[in-house]
């Protein structure tokens, strides 16, 4: 059974940093592209970042480029999101998502809440 | 960036009725790379449909997807009580992935 478990969320001041983790199990992690998707309180879904199965390519939504870095450790079956220079508007639940045969998401974690506030 | 516009914003129906949700793209979606998700309050989204019309594993056949190009539809043939939720469309045919703003399906 596929499982994704995020951790690392919390409360941080504007300008601060956080590192999110997503532990994967139940599938061959090293063969799948992975994504981060966020959802601001009471709002819709927003794609944040993507990383290829082997870590050789990444992409980001414009609003986080230069501030967020997605990475992965395939031997540890873990996905990361390093978030620097955090802004109030980054406040959201952050989900990691596994891709299927294409870049739709056939498994999601439960999410981790990031709150950016002074 | 492909903008996805979902309609209606809110749909009020009764169990047993048919629901039709629309997702319109600002430009053609490559290879029908469009998915639908269901999200209930306090839960992560769940994949329903991918490739515009393929049902995900374990999804009941009352859920169906159709459409191509810029116009896509999610149909729920006979609503069950557990179907009342928010639904999102999602295009993954470009490097800049986007979601629709969501349609809320509520009990009338």
């Amino acid at each position: 059974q596929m499982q994704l478990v995020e951790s690392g969320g919390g409360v941080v001041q504007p300008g601060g940093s956080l590192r999110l983790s997503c532990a994967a199990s139940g599938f061959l992690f090293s063969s799948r592209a992975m994504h981060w998707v966020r959802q601001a309180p009471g709002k819709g879904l927003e794609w944040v970042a993507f990383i290829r199965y082997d870590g050789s390519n990444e992409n980001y939504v414009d609003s986080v480029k230069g501030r967020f870095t997605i990475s992965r450790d395939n031997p540890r079956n873990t996905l990361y999101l390093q978030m620097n220079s955090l802004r109030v508007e980054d406040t959201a639940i952050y989900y990691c998502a596994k891709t299927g045969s294409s870049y739709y998401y056939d498994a999601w974690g439960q999410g981790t809440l990031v709150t950016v506030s002074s | 960036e492909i903008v996805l516009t979902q309609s209606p914003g809110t749909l009020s129906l009764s169990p047993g009725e048919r629901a039709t949700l629309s997702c319109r793209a600002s430009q053609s979606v490559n290879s029908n790379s469009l998915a639908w998700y269901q999200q209930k309050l306090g839960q992560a989204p769940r994949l329903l449909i991918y490739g515009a019309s393929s049902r995900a594993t374990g999804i009941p056949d009352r859920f169906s997807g159709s459409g191509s190009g810029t116009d896509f539809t999610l149909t729920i043939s006979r609503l069950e009580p557990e179907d009342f939720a928010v639904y999102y469309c999602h295009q993954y045919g470009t490097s800049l992935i986007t979601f629709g703003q969501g349609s809320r399906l509520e009990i009338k």
Side-chain angles (χ1 to χ4, degrees):
Chain A
Q1 180 184 350
M2 296 185 291
Q3 191 171 17
L4 299 168
V5 179
E6 299 96 336
S7 60
V11 180
V12 62
Q13 292 188 335
S17 298
L18 276 178
R19 188 196 200 199
L20 306 183
S21 299
C22 171
S25 60
F27 65 98
L28 189 57
F29 179 74
S30 60
S31 72
R32 289 294 184 217
M34 296 292 294
H35 294 237
W36 287 98
V37 176
R38 67 184 178 184
Q39 187 169 35
K43 302 297 185 183
L45 301 170
E46 181 185 36
W47 169 75
V48 174
F50 141 86
I51 187 165
R52 202 165 175 253
Y53 69 95
D54 58 0
S56 63
N57 191 26
E58 308 154 28
N59 197 17
Y60 302 88
V61 67
D62 283 350
S63 60
V64 309
K65 277 182 183 175
R67 301 187 300 122
F68 289 13
T69 303
I70 188 172
S71 62
R72 63 192 298 160
D73 185 337
N74 282 348
R76 294 179 186 267
N77 291 337
T78 304
L79 176 73
Y80 301 102
L81 186 67
Q82 177 67 44
M83 305 186 294
N84 298 331
S85 303
L86 282 160
R87 304 169 180 169
V88 171
E89 55 266 33
D90 295 320
T91 294
I93 296 172
Y94 284 73
Y95 296 101
C96 63
K98 168 193 171 290
T99 58
S101 57
S102 186
Y103 288 169
Y104 56 86
Y105 307 133
D106 61 359
W108 298 67
Q110 84 288 351
T112 187
L113 177 62
V114 173
T115 303
V116 185
S117 173
S118 54
Chain B
E1 172 185 328
I2 297 179
V3 176
L4 299 179
T5 302
Q6 292 185 239
S7 61
T10 302
L11 184 59
S12 299
L13 292 171
S14 300
E17 291 193 292
R18 180 185 186 92
T20 302
L21 303 178
S22 172
C23 177
R24 178 160 291 177
S26 59
Q27 54 189 282
S28 185
V29 176
N30 292 341
S31 303
N32 290 336
S33 297
L34 188 112
W36 290 92
Y37 302 87
Q38 176 193 69
Q39 188 178 34
K40 297 181 180 179
L41 194 63
Q43 297 184 15
R46 177 176 72 142
L47 176 68
L48 301 173
I49 301 289
Y50 63 94
S53 60
S54 297
R55 257 190 312 276
T57 302
I59 301 302
D61 60 7
R62 64 179 182 274
F63 290 90
S64 63
S66 63
S68 64
T70 60
D71 288 294
F72 299 88
T73 300
L74 175 69
T75 301
I76 311 171
S77 58
R78 294 172 311 279
L79 286 166
E80 297 287 341
E82 62 268 26
D83 298 338
F84 292 91
V86 179
Y87 292 83
Y88 293 95
C89 58
H90 160 222
Q91 73 79 21
Y92 49 95
T94 66
S95 59
L96 208 57
I97 290 167
T98 52
F99 288 90
Q101 82 280 15
S103 285
R104 179 178 305 277
L105 182 54
E106 64 176 27
I107 298 178
K108 188 174 183 180

